[in-house]
Amino acid sequence: MRILFIEDEWELNEVASEQLRVMGHQVHTMLGVEQSRRYMEEHPDSIDVIIADHRLPDGQGVKFVIEARKANPRLKVAVVSGCLTPDDIALLEQEGIHYFTKPLLYSTVLRALTRPPHMLSESFALGNEPQAASPRPKRTRKRGWLRWPFRKQLVESTQG
């Protein structure tokens, strides 16, 4: 996918964009809204996905992704931030836009954006992985290696 990644914290921008590149995506990194807007005007068909931080030095990521998707409805968009207000969240939900809380793996964002709409759960929209259908069985006190048939030899070899 061709991703426009907008993050003003330089270190996070570098780490996250590298994470996306390693997954095989073409990533165009931007540090703010105006730089992103200019890029999209100059390259109108070069982006499939926009992942934006919310608080940027020259604007808000929430407003930018809403504007971008209205201009191009085929775009998949998401906001990743550690400081969304209840009003921001309500607006994102009203617009049907995915949002996530930092820190996270950006593969989580891409999975949400590429998953069919009927497979999304409310918890996934909040940035959490969907819960398994059945709860995890309780662990017994014994660890797996204690039941291992060669436990006695393992214990003796480490004692001495």
Side-chain angles (χ1 to χ4, degrees):
M1 283 190 275
R2 300 169 301 175
I3 301 170
L4 181 63
F5 184 78
I6 310 164
E7 171 60 63
D8 63 321
E9 291 181 43
W10 182 250
E11 295 84 11
L12 180 56
N13 190 314
E14 286 294 308
V15 169
S17 61
E18 183 60 25
Q19 191 180 95
L20 295 166
R21 284 185 186 100
V22 166
M23 291 187 292
H25 303 290
Q26 182 181 359
V27 183
H28 305 280
T29 60
M30 304 293 155
L31 298 172
V33 170
E34 287 307 313
Q35 183 184 25
S36 303
R37 190 174 283 125
R38 275 193 311 275
Y39 181 85
M40 291 188 66
E41 287 171 0
E42 294 169 8
H43 307 89
D45 296 321
S46 67
I47 299 297
D48 302 310
V49 173
I50 299 174
I51 301 172
D53 184 18
H54 176 52
R55 284 191 184 166
L56 297 164
D58 59 350
Q60 295 182 343
V62 170
K63 291 179 182 177
F64 178 75
V65 297
I66 292 170
E67 171 190 313
R69 196 169 72 181
K70 284 182 180 175
N72 186 348
R74 73 168 181 79
L75 282 174
K76 297 176 188 289
V77 297
V79 174
V80 177
S81 180
C83 58
L84 292 171
T85 67
D87 290 340
D88 296 328
I89 291 170
L91 181 58
L92 290 165
E93 288 176 348
Q94 176 185 335
E95 295 290 330
I97 294 174
H98 294 278
Y99 58 94
F100 300 85
T101 303
K102 291 179 187 175
L104 79 158
L105 294 174
Y106 284 88
S107 59
T108 303
V109 178
L110 293 180
R111 276 196 309 274
L113 292 174
T114 58
R115 190 170 284 192
H118 67 279
M119 292 182 69
L120 294 175
S121 70
E122 186 175 324
S123 66
F124 196 73
L126 295 174
N128 303 315
E129 289 289 344
Q131 298 298 314
S134 60
R136 196 178 247 179
K138 288 186 178 179
R139 287 188 123 176
T140 61
R141 297 191 96 196
K142 288 188 174 184
R143 300 274 188 231
W145 72 272
L146 291 175
R147 293 186 304 263
W148 189 39
F150 303 106
R151 176 183 162 264
K152 183 177 177 185
Q153 289 120 351
L154 178 65
V155 171
E156 288 171 357
S157 69
T158 58
Q159 289 179 347

